[in-house]
Amino acid sequence: MDSPDDCDVAIAGAGPAGLACALTLKGRGLKIKIFDKKAFPRSKPCGGELGIRAINTLRKLSFNNKKLLDGFDNKNPIYGFQINTLKHNNYSFLLDLQKNDVQPMGYTVNRQEFDFYLLQNLLDDPFIEFYPQTSVLKTLKNEGNIELITEKNFHKTSILIDATGVKHIRDKSVRNSWAFAISSFVKDLQIEEHQQNILQFYFTSYIFPGYFWIFPLQEGLANVGLYVPITYYKASLLQLRHYFFELIQSHSILAGQFQSASLASSLQGGWLPLGYPKGSYSEGRILKVGDAARLVDPLAGEGIGNALLSGHLAGLHILKCFEENNFSDEFLSTYNHIIANIFEKEFKSRHRIVKYLSKHPKTFDRCFHQLSNNRDFRKFIFKIFLSSQYSSKLL
């Protein structure tokens, strides 16, 4: 490093993807700078669900015998989910808590608290610096480094991690294949005690194959919202806010749950860049992670797990670059193959499922009817989408 403003790795964006990369690099003697345009802690519109992939990645990010996920107290364990189909049939899929060693299949978290917790686990490293309220305005690619220009300064880095999310994806036409979501925190929701630890999904013809979700949190709050794949939604996005309130007031089940509820935060919306085969995940010394790499699950709309994993994989690849002192485009581009091998087959199959269900909504109802009544079929499906660890412990 030639000056105090130089670093080994710069990370633009302090969401789960960027922070997972930094956690992977922590303690390796690399000088790391993390930039984010917001002051922390900051609010973030998101469902806030940590699934199996997120849990497994967080375990890998633990260090010095410290289990990262265990240290975050304000998480709500999830032991099942409930589906309300287009025909208003309710199906519940729950883990049998009477069996030994039943672990949650996931957790729900407040992203503002969760992201801040991950950040705090980095700042005890003297080689890591955090620059809040600092946007990377421009990048200049040189032969041996990348120059970053922010509002306040000029930095040089050997490798840049692009964790800036969707706003810096220049091609706006690709949004036609993305999804859009709006969400809010709600208090005083009337749900039964057993529903405090299950995810609820409500499917309606207006946004199908999208859904309305209720994800319970601790302290009497819930995260609620609409997930809408744009390919199959023909109305204006401006209508979604109106539909949100119409649904919670008129739906046969939701109206009762929301009778005394009120919003605990403003209703916010955002784009979800759904993963698709043949993506581009690197440009020379720039590696893309999370939403910047378009890695949101096309079926469920979940992005935190893929963001954490991609950040971790980027960090591992960076370590190899420094270990072998190889920063050639050829060596760096192998990150493309790493991401593609893990995600693209999965993305392709899940896009096919969504496309099929959009054309055959009756099949959607029949599928959950079979899942509810056929234990072997239920175990098979759960093994595919979760793991055999959970399929063997269903009620």
Side-chain angles (χ1 to χ4, degrees), residues 332-351:
L332 282 162
S333 68
T334 58
Y335 174 73
N336 277 321
H337 303 297
I338 294 170
I339 296 296
N341 289 339
I342 289 177
F343 292 106
E344 291 195 349
K345 185 178 180 181
E346 177 182 297
F347 289 159
K348 187 175 182 179
S349 65
R350 296 194 173 200
H351 271 293

Side-chain angles (χ1 to χ4, degrees), residues 2 20 42 65 85 98 123 151 159 178 208 261 263 300 317 321:
D2 297 323
R42 51 93 173 97
N65 296 319
T85 67
Q98 300 301 315
L123 300 183
E151 302 101 320
I159 295 180
W178 290 2
F208 188 79
L263 297 186
H317 192 57
C321 291

Side-chain angles (χ1 to χ4, degrees), residues 175-302:
R175 288 181 175 179
N176 294 328
S177 61
W178 290 2
F180 194 83
I182 60 174
S183 64
S184 175
F185 294 115
V186 169
K187 59 183 179 180
D188 299 325
L189 195 67
Q190 294 184 15
I191 57 177
E192 298 178 15
E193 184 175 353
H194 77 279
Q195 292 177 312
Q196 294 286 352
N197 300 103
I198 66 172
L199 306 179
Q200 298 183 54
F201 300 89
Y202 293 82
F203 291 85
T204 70
S205 57
Y206 186 70
I207 57 173
F208 188 79
Y211 54 80
F212 179 89
W213 78 75
I214 299 178
F215 294 172
L217 296 163
Q218 291 189 343
E219 300 174 354
L221 292 174
N223 185 311
V224 304
L226 295 172
Y227 168 70
V228 184
I230 295 302
T231 301
Y232 310 101
Y233 178 70
K234 304 307 178 186
S236 167
L237 291 178
L238 298 175
Q239 296 295 319
L240 287 179
R241 180 182 176 86
H242 172 76
Y243 182 67
F244 175 93
F245 290 105
E246 177 186 311
L247 188 64
I248 62 177
Q249 292 170 5
S250 62
H251 189 278
S252 59
I253 298 176
L254 292 174
Q257 294 191 56
F258 281 85
Q259 185 175 7
S260 302
S262 60
L263 297 186
S265 66
S266 61
L267 198 61
Q268 299 184 63
W271 289 98
L272 302 176
L274 302 182
Y276 208 82
K278 299 181 180 179
S280 176
Y281 312 111
S282 70
E283 298 175 6
R285 290 174 177 258
I286 301 176
L287 306 184
K288 300 178 183 179
V289 295
D291 284 3
R294 308 180 196 178
L295 296 179
V296 175
D297 180 357
L299 180 61
E302 194 273 331

Side-chain angles (χ1 to χ4, degrees), residues 19 38 44 59 80 87 131 146 166 172 178 181 187 200 213 216 257 285 330:
L19 296 176
K38 298 287 188 180
K44 181 72 175 178
R59 286 173 180 157
K87 293 184 177 181
Y131 295 79
I146 294 176
V166 299
K172 304 303 181 185
W178 290 2
K187 59 183 179 180
Q200 298 183 54
W213 78 75
Q257 294 191 56
R285 290 174 177 258
E330 182 181 2

